[in-house]
Amino acid sequence: MRVIRYENEKGLPVLAALTEQSEVYNLSYKGFMELVEYAQNTNQTPLSLLQEVIKDEQPEKLKVEELTLLAPIEAPEVWAAGVTYERSKDARNYEATAGKMDASTFYDKVYDAERPELFMKSTAARLVGPNTEVYIRSDSTWQIPEPELGLVINKTGDILAYTIGNDMSSRDIEGENPLYLPQAKIWKHSCSIGPALLLADAVENPYQLDIHCRIFRNGQKVVEGFANTNQLKRKYDELVSYLLRDNEIFDGTVLLTGTCIVPPNEFTLLDGDLIEIEIPGIGVLSNPVKAPVNKQAALY
Ligand code: DO4
Ligand code: MG
C-alpha cells in the first residue's frame, strides 16, 4: 500500500492511497503525518487503517499516470547519509584524489567508522516532487544524480514509510575540498522525493529492494545503473539513531540512506536530461534537469 499526493483540478493538494493494482482512493487527511497520527489514536497501523478505509469504497476514476503528482510528504527537512555503500566510497576517493583510486582517504575511514556520515540535504522550500525540474549548479562542471532509498521518520525515529530520493551532487566541488560538502549538496531544487510513500508495515524486507537509475539525453538512454539495498553497509535504525542523537527531528523528516549507483566518471548532467529512479514497489521518480540560464547559453 502506497500513499501519494496530487494536485486536483482546483490546484489543491489531495492525499490518496494507491493500491498494488494502481487504484486511487482519495483520503480526507491533510497529509501523511495526520494519517499516521489518526492511526495511532485509534490503535491501528497506517496499513490496517488504509485497508479499512478502502474496504467499502470504490476507487476514484483516476489514472495515476495522468495525475499531477506532488512530493508525497511536505518533509520539513531532508537529511542524508553518505558513504554507506562501497561504490560511493570508491567514487568519492576517485574525485578527491584526482583519480588515484588506491589512495586511502577519510572516505575509507568513514566507511569503516562506527559513526556514519550524516548531513543536512534539504528543506521543504528546496525540495521538489516527481516530474518537477531538478537544477544543476552554474559553478560546477561535474554533476550527477544520486539515487537513494529514503526513510520517512517521525520525531522519535520510527520508520513509517519508504520513498525514493535523488541527492543531486556536484563531484568537482566536493572533490576539491570536503569542507565544501554543503555547497556540493545543497542548492535550489537539488533534492527530489517521490513518487509515493510505501508504508513500512507493507514491506517484508527493506534490505532487499532493487534500485534502478536511467538517464536520458535527447530521448536516448545514456546512463543506466542497478543496485540493491542488500549492499548497504549499515542498518537503517543505526542511521536514524545517530540522526536523533542530541538533535531535534521533526515528524515527517526524510533520511536518505546513501547511493550505490554512480554514473561513469566522464559523465555530467546537462540541461534537458531526464533522470528516472525506480524502486519496484514504490514507483519511478522522474525529474527533468534544468541548467541556470548562463549554462544553457554556453551549450549552444
Ligand atoms: O561524502 C559525501 C556524500 C556521500 C553521499 O551522498 C552518498 O554516499 O550518497
Ligand atoms: Mg548521497
Side-chain angles (χ1 to χ4, degrees):
M1 184 78 72
R2 288 168 288 173
V3 171
I4 53 170
R5 272 194 336 135
Y6 69 91
E7 196 175 277
N8 68 12
E9 61 290 347
K10 293 185 185 138
L12 298 172
V14 178
L15 193 76
L18 179 65
T19 66
E20 266 118 73
Q21 293 72 37
S22 296
E23 297 156 329
V24 177
Y25 291 83
N26 286 350
L27 301 168
S28 54
Y29 310 101
K30 279 205 215 78
F32 179 64
M33 287 314 301
E34 197 177 286
L35 182 159
V36 171
E37 205 177 309
Y38 185 81
Q40 265 162 7
N41 292 341
T42 51
N43 291 321
Q44 299 174 84
T45 64
L47 179 60
S48 59
L49 170 67
L50 289 188
Q51 281 165 341
E52 195 60 33
V53 166
I54 69 174
K55 199 167 59 155
D56 305 315
E57 297 277 322
Q58 286 301 313
E60 306 296 323
K61 290 190 175 57
L62 294 171
K63 288 205 173 95
V64 64
E65 321 75 73
E66 291 169 9
L67 297 177
T68 303
L69 292 178
L70 303 168
I73 185 161
E74 285 184 297
E77 292 175 348
V78 178
W79 292 75
V83 198
T84 49
Y85 289 89
E86 198 173 0
R87 177 73 187 97
S88 174
K89 181 187 70 159
D90 291 346
R92 310 295 151 188
N93 278 339
Y94 181 89
E95 68 210 24
T97 61
K100 290 191 209 84
M101 289 285 281
D102 50 354
S104 183
T105 69
F106 39 84
Y107 293 113
D108 296 288
K109 277 193 190 166
V110 82
Y111 184 72
D112 292 323
E114 196 177 326
R115 182 190 292 275
E117 177 197 358
L118 294 176
F119 57 93
M120 166 72 91
K121 171 64 193 178
S122 198
T123 53
R126 293 180 179 82
L127 188 61
V128 297
N131 308 316
T132 302
E133 286 158 340
V134 285
Y135 294 172
I136 47 177
R137 295 186 64 109
S138 61
D139 57 357
S140 167
T141 56
W142 196 14
Q143 303 189 70
I144 55 163
E146 290 191 358
E148 307 192 8
L149 177 74
L151 314 175
V152 179
I153 60 173
N154 62 10
K155 60 182 177 199
T156 52
D158 303 308
I159 300 171
L160 307 169
Y162 299 96
T163 191
I164 303 173
N166 177 356
D167 169 23
M168 294 283 286
S169 298
S170 161
R171 295 188 72 181
D172 50 349
I173 295 179
E174 182 177 343
E176 188 179 338
N177 190 322
L179 296 179
Y180 294 153
L181 187 74
Q183 294 173 77
K185 293 289 188 180
I186 308 171
W187 62 91
K188 190 174 174 181
H189 288 214
S190 69
C191 184
S192 68
I193 59 165
L197 307 180
L198 174 61
L199 297 184
D201 343 347
V203 181
E204 209 172 296
N205 184 355
Y207 296 99
Q208 276 300 344
L209 299 175
D210 285 326
I211 307 179
H212 187 180
C213 178
R214 302 174 281 267
I215 304 174
F216 297 90
R217 182 164 296 161
N218 303 320
Q220 301 279 95
K221 190 163 59 186
V222 288
V223 171
E224 181 158 42
F226 296 91
N228 187 286
T229 54
N230 63 16
Q231 295 161 272
L232 183 71
K233 169 92 187 299
R234 306 205 180 240
K235 294 286 172 238
Y236 303 130
D237 284 343
E238 174 193 348
L239 299 174
V240 171
S241 81
Y242 271 95
L243 181 63
L244 261 68
R245 271 197 197 185
D246 298 296
N247 199 3
E248 185 177 11
I249 285 297
F250 309 105
D251 284 337
T253 292
V254 173
L255 173 58
L256 305 182
T257 53
T259 192
C260 186
I261 301 175
V262 181
N265 290 328
E266 57 283 4
F267 177 84
T268 189
L269 287 168
L270 295 179
D271 185 65
D273 288 352
L274 179 73
I275 304 162
E276 284 185 0
I277 306 171
E278 180 169 9
I279 299 186
I282 303 181
V284 181
L285 174 62
S286 183
N287 296 99
V289 175
K290 186 172 161 59
V293 174
N294 57 343
K295 275 229 159 173
Q296 289 171 28
L299 289 173
Y300 303 109

